[in-house]
Every structure is written in structure tokens, then in C-alpha cells.
Amino acid sequence: MVTANSHRHHALDYVELTVTDLDAAKRFYGEAFGWRFNDYGSDYVGIQSPDGESAPEVGGFRPAPDVRPGGPFVQLYSTDLEQSVEAVKRAGGTVVDGPYDFPGGRRFHFTDPSGNELGVWTAAPPAP
């Protein structure tokens, strides 16, 4: 059940990715990141929150014949960046940049099987 308290004012609330193949997108993101999904027929798949089935959906996949480059850049957080790199590769994604250092941590960019580019980052360890 979604309540008004589930959503935070001006916070990233829902991310929708255009994909060329819903089943391939579900397989890739499920395998690489452990995501779970709500199927709404052949035209939409909801992305379940990692907080459990009672939490609101956090995004979705919408099918289209092609994916347009650009749009919002989505970043995921990882507690183990190298493991995330390997998971993306094993699931069929392509690392297109990094991993590299940036102020505050390390990150890499990847493309999914439909061509969407996303990033994954991790915080820098605390200074000694």
C-alpha cells in the first residue's frame, strides 16, 4: 500500500527506462542487481522497491522500438563497486566508462542490453 508518507518532496521518486525488450531488461536488471518486478501485461513492467513488496514501486520499463540517447542520467549506489562491475558484465551489460575516482568516491557507467546508460557509484572511504 502506498501512502502519502512514502514519497518525499523534491526527491527522486520514480525512474522510467525505455527498453527494446521487456524480458531482456527484466533478466539483465534482475541478474545484475537483484531487482524484482511487477508485470502489467505486455506494455509495462514496474520495478519493485528493494524495501519489500509493500513499499512503492521505484520505476518501470516501457517498451519502444528504439532507445533515444540522452535523457536523465540515473545512478545506482553500491557497497562493492568491483562486484557491481562484474555483475553488470555477467548479466550482459557493457561497461562504457570507468571505474574511476571522482570527488566523494568511485563510479562507472554501463549500458544495458537496450542501450540505456546508467552509472553506479560508491562513497570514498573515510579519511584516516
Side-chain angles (χ1 to χ4, degrees):
M1 181 169 116
V2 177
T3 65
N5 293 344
S6 308
H7 304 281
R8 295 181 54 211
H9 182 63
H10 289 172
L12 183 61
D13 190 68
Y14 198 87
V15 175
E16 186 174 88
L17 298 174
T18 303
V19 298
T20 55
D21 183 321
L22 289 174
D23 289 332
K26 287 172 31 180
R27 184 200 55 76
F28 172 76
Y29 286 99
E31 187 177 320
F33 301 110
W35 291 4
R36 295 173 303 132
F37 307 97
N38 295 320
D39 290 313
Y40 295 107
S42 62
D43 291 331
Y44 202 82
V45 172
I47 302 168
Q48 293 179 342
S49 169
D51 294 331
E53 293 181 22
S54 63
E57 286 183 355
V58 296
F61 298 134
R62 181 178 54 82
D66 61 297
V67 174
R68 292 177 292 151
F73 185 69
V74 176
Q75 290 196 62
L76 310 174
Y77 183 78
S78 175
T79 58
D80 185 338
L81 198 67
E82 296 308 319
Q83 183 278 330
S84 296
V85 167
E86 292 309 312
V88 164
K89 290 178 182 178
R90 275 193 313 273
T94 302
V95 174
V96 296
D97 195 7
Y100 61 89
D101 294 336
F102 74 98
R106 289 181 44 78
R107 70 193 248 183
F108 72 96
H109 297 196
F110 69 92
T111 54
D112 69 11
S114 291
N116 291 298
E117 184 175 337
L118 287 80
V120 181
W121 77 282
T122 193

